[in-house]
Amino acid sequence: MIQALGDVIGGAIIAIAMAWFSWNLFKIIHYPELGPVAGFFIVTASLVTTHHGSRMLPIIFIFSLISMFCGWSEAAAWRARRDERKGQRKGSNLAGVQRFW
């Protein structure tokens, strides 16, 4: 029972770490929603090619699938916040001087 609990917690930690890393990697190119998807496909590829009785990979697969959907929905909110901040800074008028950045 302790080993099963360790597999579930370990699988969740690995999937979360992979989603976080891939999110930040794809945030550089302004498409963070592709990060969890890429992580999911990496886990799927490793599951298909190397699954030889390992109990950890299917658990990571399930948690990666969950993180993919969570990341996809969060990306729309992230992009809206980024566009809102960009719109606020673009035309700020300071003492009659128009600043664009």
Side-chain angles (χ1 to χ4, degrees), residues 40-55:
F40 173 74
F41 283 122
I42 290 170
V43 170
T44 302
S46 65
L47 180 66
V48 169
T49 59
T50 64
H51 183 62
H52 299 291
S54 172
R55 293 181 305 177

Side-chain angles (χ1 to χ4, degrees), residues 10-69:
I13 290 171
I14 291 170
I16 289 168
M18 183 179 297
W20 179 82
F21 177 73
S22 59
W23 174 277
N24 286 316
L25 186 67
F26 278 87
K27 194 164 62 169
I28 294 170
I29 60 170
H30 302 292
Y31 289 101
E33 70 272 10
L34 296 179
V37 175
F40 173 74
F41 283 122
I42 290 170
V43 170
T44 302
S46 65
L47 180 66
V48 169
T49 59
T50 64
H51 183 62
H52 299 291
S54 172
R55 293 181 305 177
M56 187 72 103
L57 275 175
I59 294 170
I60 297 171
F61 175 80
I62 292 168
F63 284 119
S64 293
L65 183 64
I66 293 168
S67 71
M68 181 180 72
F69 288 116

